[in-house]
């Protein structure tokens, strides 16, 4: 049996110091992803630093109208929070689309963002996987690849990010607050996760020992008129085939003043569809205009016979999501 040292952190600074000083140490929050991987033999830290009892479990309004969400706020609590449902419905709906009720009761905000980007081969220790063991190869290339990425992939890794919450946060320009050995810093959500390139083992831009302490949501008209839609194989407890987090602000005449679009299930990180957003600003929202904008974003997509379905699926789901928002529907 492999020995494992357990520490219960007394405060965030001591937790950071413990993990920073040990390259084989890991933070433990809700544990819904890490504990699974410990059991499967996917990861084998020598030390776990439990941060689940640190006082980072509040949702607080900021002076500018935004919201600060502690890293230990449970997914169920955040989804049900009146301020989130009112000001950032895309975040609430993304949370409710993820996992199961039991897992949402246990999973934390910070842990959700830090779950491993993975495919079936990552969790099968008998197969080569560059993410699990750098340099061994990618079994998903040429193997089972129905969930594979169509944007931003590399020869080293083609898996997609599993978090629904992360896609919603990308669409509302959230900021992740991080504490490290050098102090606190703020990371825009778009810069928090990374594409695989030749280092697929690194899911985020965090340095070892940096601890997510909060996520900040800026208030905006786009965030208030937002929603999340997810296409999947079954109605619950399934990763997205594709998903769309979107928000829109319209002029009095119905033209797009501003728009945000983020996609899940298509890349190694939540994919912010900036090309599509720019194409839609100043236009009337219609199925045709949204599909054209999505097609422009998808021009860089690389597909095969297993993933070709994702291009029309995410294009059409984006059109459905945005035209519904334009009509005032958010369900």
């Amino acid at each position: 049996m492999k020995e494992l040292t357990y520490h219960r952190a007394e405060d965030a600074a001591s937790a950071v110091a413990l993990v920073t000083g040990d390259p084989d140490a890991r933070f433990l929050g809700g544990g819904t992803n890490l504990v699974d991987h410990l059991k499967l033999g996917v990861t084998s830290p020598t030390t776990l630093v439990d941060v689940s009892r640190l006082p980072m479990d509040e949702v607080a309004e900021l002076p500018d109208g935004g919201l600060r969400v502690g890293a230990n706020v449970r997914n169920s609590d955040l989804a049900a929070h009146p301020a989130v449902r009112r000001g950032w419905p895309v975040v609430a709906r993304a949370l409710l689309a993820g996992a199961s009720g039991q897992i949402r009761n246990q999973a934390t905000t910070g842990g959700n963002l830090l779950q491993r980007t993975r495919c079936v081969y990552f969790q099968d220790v008998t197969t080569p996987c560059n993410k699990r063991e750098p340099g061994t190869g990618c079994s998903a290339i040429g193997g089972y690849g129905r969930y594979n990425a169509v944007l931003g992939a590399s020869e080293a890794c083609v898996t997609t990010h599993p978090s629904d919450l992360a896609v919603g946060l990308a669409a509302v320009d959230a900021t992740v607050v991080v504490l490290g050995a050098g102090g606190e810093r703020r990371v825009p959500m778009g810069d928090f996760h990374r594409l695989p390139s030749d280092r697929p083992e690194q899911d985020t831009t965090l340095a070892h020992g940096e601890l997510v302490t909060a996520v900040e949501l800026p208030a905006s008209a786009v965030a208030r008129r937002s929603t999340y839609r997810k296409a999947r194989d079954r109605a619950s407890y399934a990763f997205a085939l594709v998903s769309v987090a979107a928000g829109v602000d319209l002029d009095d005449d119905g033209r797009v003043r501003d728009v945000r679009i983020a996609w899940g299930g298509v890349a190694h990180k939540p994919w912010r569809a900036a090309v599509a957003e720019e194409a839609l600003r100043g236009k009337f929202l219609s199925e045709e205009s949204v599909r054209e904008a999505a097609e422009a974003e998808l021009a860089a997509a690389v597909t095969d016979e297993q993933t070709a379905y994702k291009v029309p699926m995410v294009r059409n789901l984006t059109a459905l999501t945005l035209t519904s928002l334009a009509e005032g529907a958010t369900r």
Side-chain angles (χ1 to χ4, degrees):
M1 177 181 291
K2 184 177 178 63
E3 291 189 0
L4 187 66
T5 302
Y6 171 86
H7 291 283
R8 182 179 294 176
E10 296 181 356
D11 53 54
S14 63
V16 168
L18 283 167
V19 175
T20 301
D22 183 351
D24 294 320
R26 299 291 184 271
F27 295 116
L28 175 66
T32 57
N33 190 219
L34 177 59
V35 172
D36 280 349
H37 288 166
L38 286 169
K39 293 177 180 178
L40 292 169
V42 171
T43 187
S44 55
T46 58
T47 303
L48 292 182
V49 178
D50 189 344
V51 296
S52 65
R53 292 171 175 80
L54 296 183
M56 303 186 297
D57 57 353
E58 293 186 354
V59 178
E61 294 189 13
L62 297 172
D64 62 0
L67 214 61
R68 182 182 172 96
V69 179
N72 282 337
V73 174
R74 305 290 171 170
N75 287 181
S76 292
D77 293 335
L78 186 59
H81 198 284
V84 176
R85 294 168 64 89
R86 180 176 60 251
W88 298 267
V90 63
V91 173
R93 293 189 175 110
L95 284 163
L96 292 174
S100 65
Q102 295 91 335
I103 291 176
R104 291 194 296 270
N105 288 340
Q106 180 70 14
T108 63
T109 300
N112 189 303
L113 299 185
L114 291 170
Q115 63 181 297
R116 295 306 306 272
T117 304
R118 58 198 186 272
C119 71
V120 293
Y121 296 106
F122 175 76
Q123 300 190 141
D124 180 357
V125 296
T126 67
T127 63
C129 173
N130 286 322
K131 181 175 285 291
R132 182 174 14 90
E133 295 182 76
T136 59
C138 177
S139 295
I141 297 176
Y144 176 76
R146 186 163 174 264
Y147 283 82
N148 287 357
V150 297
L151 292 167
S154 72
E155 293 182 358
C157 184
V158 293
T159 192
T160 56
H161 198 276
S163 173
D164 296 288
L165 172 60
V167 182
L169 293 177
V172 298
D173 296 312
T175 298
V176 184
V177 184
V178 176
L179 180 66
E184 185 177 88
R185 68 187 182 103
R186 282 169 164 75
V187 183
M189 190 63 200
D191 297 331
F192 185 77
H193 296 101
R194 60 181 300 278
L195 295 176
S197 63
D198 60 351
R199 292 184 293 119
E201 71 277 10
Q202 187 174 346
D203 292 336
T204 73
T205 57
L206 296 184
H208 180 71
E210 286 192 307
L211 174 67
V212 174
T213 58
V215 176
E216 294 177 346
L217 311 180
S220 70
V222 169
R224 287 190 294 274
R225 194 172 190 172
S226 63
T227 196
Y228 183 78
R229 291 181 184 269
K230 179 178 181 178
R232 48 187 163 179
D233 285 326
R234 56 182 183 267
S236 67
Y237 200 45
F239 291 145
L241 299 173
V242 302
S243 65
V244 177
V248 65
D249 180 29
L250 302 177
D251 289 332
D252 292 340
D253 65 355
R255 292 181 185 272
V256 176
R257 179 183 293 119
D258 204 1
V259 62
R260 296 288 186 276
I261 306 167
W263 290 338
V266 299
H268 194 264
K269 60 181 283 186
W271 187 269
R272 182 66 177 268
V275 173
E277 291 174 0
E278 185 60 32
L280 287 170
R281 291 189 179 99
K283 293 185 178 179
F284 293 106
L285 282 182
S286 65
E287 287 192 13
E288 181 180 2
S289 66
V290 177
R291 285 176 177 159
E292 287 180 356
E295 288 284 4
E297 185 73 44
L298 290 162
V302 177
T303 66
D304 58 24
E305 61 181 10
Q306 295 187 70
T307 58
Y309 76 92
K310 288 195 173 191
V311 169
M313 183 177 281
V314 74
R315 179 194 63 212
N316 293 341
L317 191 62
T318 303
L320 174 63
T321 303
L322 280 171
T323 54
S324 296
L325 284 172
E327 295 164 0
T330 55
R331 293 178 67 97

